[in-house]
Amino acid sequence: MGRCFICHTFFSLCDSPRLIHKKANRRLKINRSQNNPAGTQAAGEKVSDNSGFFTSMVNKSSLILPLVLCSVFISAHNPRTDGYRGIWFSLGQFSEYGDKYSGGLGTYTANHVPVAVYSPEAGKTFFVYGGTTAAGERHLLNMISYYDHKSGEVPRPVVVHDKQGVNDPHDNAALSVDGSGYLWVFVSGRARSRQGFIYKSREPFSISAFDLVREGEITYPQPWYVKDRGFILMFTKYTGGRELYWTTSPDGVHWETEKKLAGMGGHYQVTNMLGNKLVSAFMYHPGGNVDKRTNLYAVQTEDFGRTWKTIDGKVIKPPLTDPHCEALIKDFEAEGKLVYINDLNFDSEGNPVILAVISRDYRPGPSGDPREWFIIRWKAGRWTFSKVCESTHNYDMGSLYTKEKIWRIIGPTEPGPQHFGTGGEMALWESRDEGITWKRIRMITSESIRNNSYARRPLNAHDDFYALWADGDAGKLSESHLWFTNKTGLKTRELPYNMEADSQKPLILRKNADSKSR
């Protein structure tokens, strides 16, 4: 016997889809007659949902609800695939040196945060990624899996959500683990045409089965769970360009009405939490044009979004609409420079540290050089800027690690086989003076046949699973394999593209990094 988590229809696992749909229709009609005995609700009108956030699943029509929702729960478990196959994508915005971005984008974007979480209780690093149905196919599957630190193995990955023909990794997911160990997968939508979804694991620390909890307009999800408080979700809505919003929930099911944080024509943000403090770092899109992304801003809240402040403690009133507001860190627009935020972390004093690539052209190729990696840090009452290195592409995305005395960056800072394409060769950089100066310690990958891109930092990263990324040919459709490395960058492993067993060890990269530094 099974039960739909949303409409609570009971069904036998032997029931046909038609019978399940009939049962769900019957139950929905009963509920509607009880809630609307006078027949005052107009045809097609949604049942009121006081959550104020995502559309309640019981608001769907009697046809869509059983067809779309109940079919999700016909099987006892979510389907698994027989290997880790990342999604390949091309934006289709070409110029002299190729597409604006393309390649293996299973861990895209920098604005889906976090995509991996280490759980000490489970002894596993759980992670989500954008997968696909087979090599050579561009059919997005929102996948979840884990690395078992005790056994050193990974299981067959699980399909949380099938995007039904969508090939765009903007619809990738973010991941959160609540205080009871339940896994929450926040699947992104795209613009206002594709909805986002929230799924909850049926059992703690288990990827076997997920229930659909909510759906609605959500892009670039960034969920953060706080013990005894619940969730605060930072996300984007296309209400006037890509505008920033937040909402909160005590349980992941009931959400407060969303509130706008910033609306200056559009933004991309990266957020992080330290204790009760959440910081958002973002740029803005002049005139709504994402190819002109510029400036850098930061705001913080320590009371779950009730009050927002600048980093120096001045109270501000959202939504922010003035590009020269008090949250402005630096006016890059005046310098004709573009800003690509990679990561956000905290120093030992709890001050925010931002990693960003600063460029001069949205198009790939030499015209945008130098593409400079910068650390932007709040220290002693002011913002400081320290250059790390240069790379070949605006979307050479890496991650920043600041919990220890030695700060680290892992990212595709070195040219790859597709020189002007997204990504390159992964490298490990270290700073022993809190980000002021940096040194490349080693190459993590070398002699790759496909560019490596979007190195992602797990929340509470374990030393053995320190960064996760995907590879892919930036110039043409290719296979996309997924990789992870340890803290030293000396043990890099490939998740099995094809699996013959239910669980197996990842493949160790034999042509490993050199030990050269510069």
Side-chain angles (χ1 to χ4, degrees):
M1 179 67 68
R3 189 183 189 189
C4 175
F5 182 76
I6 305 302
C7 69
H8 308 296
T9 301
F10 285 97
F11 53 83
S12 166
L13 296 182
C14 297
D15 285 349
S16 68
R18 182 181 298 276
L19 180 57
I20 294 172
H21 299 158
K22 184 176 180 180
K23 289 180 178 180
N25 269 315
R26 185 184 307 119
R27 180 176 180 85
L28 190 62
K29 288 177 180 177
I30 292 172
N31 288 341
R32 284 183 170 173
S33 65
Q34 291 173 343
N35 294 330
N36 188 32
T40 56
Q41 182 177 323
E45 182 181 345
K46 292 182 177 179
V47 179
S48 174
D49 175 18
N50 294 325
S51 70
F53 184 44
F54 288 120
T55 304
S56 172
M57 300 315 299
V58 297
N59 289 350
K60 298 301 180 182
S61 73
S62 59
L63 289 176
I64 295 176
L65 178 66
L67 288 172
V68 176
L69 299 179
C70 293
S71 59
V72 174
F73 305 100
I74 293 175
S75 61
H77 300 286
N78 287 60
R80 293 179 182 258
T81 63
D82 60 353
Y84 291 78
R85 304 180 186 98
I87 187 73
W88 186 94
F89 180 70
S90 174
L91 182 66
Q93 189 174 338
F94 291 92
S95 56
E96 181 181 359
Y97 290 90
D99 204 349
K100 190 170 83 167
Y101 56 85
S102 57
L105 298 180
T107 54
Y108 180 80
T109 71
N111 316 117
H112 293 65
V113 183
V115 298
V117 180
Y118 169 63
S119 168
E121 296 86 352
K124 300 173 181 177
T125 295
F126 296 94
F127 58 93
V128 292
Y129 67 95
T132 192
T133 46
E137 294 186 2
R138 297 176 59 191
H139 180 117
L140 180 62
L141 302 174
N142 297 114
M143 308 295 298
I144 189 168
S145 191
Y146 61 79
Y147 174 70
D148 189 321
H149 291 271
K150 183 177 181 179
S151 69
E153 295 187 346
V154 293
R156 294 180 189 266
V158 169
V159 179
V160 177
H161 185 88
D162 184 338
K163 275 291 183 172
Q164 298 296 320
V166 171
N167 65 12
D168 186 349
H170 285 95
D171 290 36
N172 283 348
L175 176 65
S176 187
V177 182
D178 70 19
S180 299
Y182 288 95
L183 311 177
W184 294 78
V185 178
F186 291 72
V187 176
S188 179
R190 180 66 169 154
R192 311 200 81 171
S193 59
R194 299 199 299 265
Q195 295 289 284
F197 304 89
I198 300 178
Y199 286 89
K200 179 185 178 182
S201 66
R202 204 165 294 170
E203 301 292 339
F205 304 118
S206 172
I207 65 171
S208 295
F210 286 82
D211 292 321
L212 178 59
V213 177
R214 307 287 285 182
E215 81 167 83
E217 185 182 355
I218 170 176
T219 57
Y220 306 110
Q222 302 185 32
W224 300 100
Y225 178 80
V226 178
K227 186 178 180 181
D228 299 326
R229 296 292 298 271
F231 294 92
I232 180 168
L233 175 63
M234 310 297 292
F235 68 108
T236 299
K237 292 181 69 173
Y238 287 67
T239 47
R242 297 161 172 84
E243 297 187 316
L244 304 182
Y245 285 79
W246 85 93
T247 183
T248 60
S249 170
D251 56 11
V253 177
H254 305 92
W255 293 86
E256 296 294 327
T257 301
E258 71 270 17
K259 297 179 177 65
K260 187 188 297 188
L261 177 62
M264 307 175 195
H267 310 272
Y268 291 127
Q269 72 175 339
V270 174
T271 63
N272 201 352
M273 284 205 76
L274 180 66
N276 289 321
K277 179 167 69 176
L278 181 145
V279 174
S280 171
F282 55 96
M283 86 286 280
Y284 100 108
H285 308 154
N289 189 340
V290 299
D291 291 336
K292 295 182 178 180
R293 66 190 71 185
T294 189
N295 288 359
L296 187 60
Y297 306 84
V299 294
Q300 63 180 337
T301 179
E302 296 179 286
D303 55 9
F304 237 46
R306 291 187 177 88
T307 307
W308 289 91
K309 301 177 181 179
T310 59
I311 302 303
D312 61 357
K314 296 177 182 176
V315 176
I316 57 175
K317 185 178 180 181
L320 301 177
T321 57
D322 180 4
H324 296 96
C325 64
E326 290 183 309
L328 179 65
I329 296 174
K330 185 171 181 177
D331 187 351
F332 284 102
E333 186 176 20
E335 300 178 6
K337 295 180 180 179
L338 307 179
V339 178
Y340 297 80
I341 303 173
N342 280 1
D343 200 5
L344 167 64
N345 219 323
F346 299 94
D347 66 15
S348 59
E349 299 175 353
N351 297 313
V353 186
I354 302 165
L355 173 63
V357 173
I358 308 301
S359 172
R360 288 158 178 78
D361 196 334
Y362 72 91
R363 294 167 296 187
S367 62
D369 292 342
R371 291 178 167 87
E372 301 172 295
W373 293 51
F374 271 94
I375 291 294
I376 301 102
R377 181 189 184 190
W378 179 257
K379 180 71 174 178
R382 67 186 184 93
W383 290 101
T384 63
F385 297 77
S386 303
K387 183 175 176 178
V388 179
C389 63
E390 297 178 9
S391 66
T392 60
H393 201 276
N394 294 328
Y395 293 86
D396 289 339
M397 186 270 173
S399 286
L400 172 66
Y401 305 77
T402 57
K403 282 191 175 182
E404 302 175 359
K405 289 184 178 180
I406 299 176
W407 290 11
R408 296 176 175 86
I409 291 173
I410 294 177
T413 61
E414 312 308 306
Q418 295 85 50
H419 184 90
F420 291 111
T422 307
E425 298 287 9
M426 290 291 173
L428 170 66
W429 295 74
E430 288 185 353
S431 171
R432 296 176 180 268
D433 54 12
E434 295 190 324
I436 299 174
T437 61
W438 291 84
K439 183 179 183 180
R440 195 190 77 181
I441 301 302
R442 64 179 48 89
M443 299 284 289
I444 295 175
T445 64
S446 60
E447 301 180 33
S448 301
I449 61 174
R450 297 178 292 267
N451 278 7
N452 302 275
S453 64
Y454 281 84
R456 307 306 303 276
R457 171 177 54 84
L459 183 63
N460 310 319
H462 188 285
D463 288 357
D464 289 338
F465 196 112
Y466 216 57
L468 170 72
W469 71 87
D471 71 15
D473 192 310
K476 63 179 184 298
L477 177 62
S478 72
E479 292 183 358
S480 176
H481 295 232
L482 288 113
W483 304 78
F484 67 96
T485 194
N486 66 351
K487 184 169 72 172
T488 64
L490 287 172
K491 192 173 184 180
T492 300
R493 284 162 282 194
E494 177 189 354
L495 295 170
Y497 195 81
N498 295 295
M499 297 182 68
E500 297 179 355
D502 290 338
S503 180
Q504 65 187 67
K505 293 182 182 296
L507 304 173
I508 296 177
L509 179 64
R510 297 301 179 186
K511 279 186 179 179
N512 210 347
D514 60 28
S515 58
K516 298 177 183 176
S517 56
R518 64 181 182 188

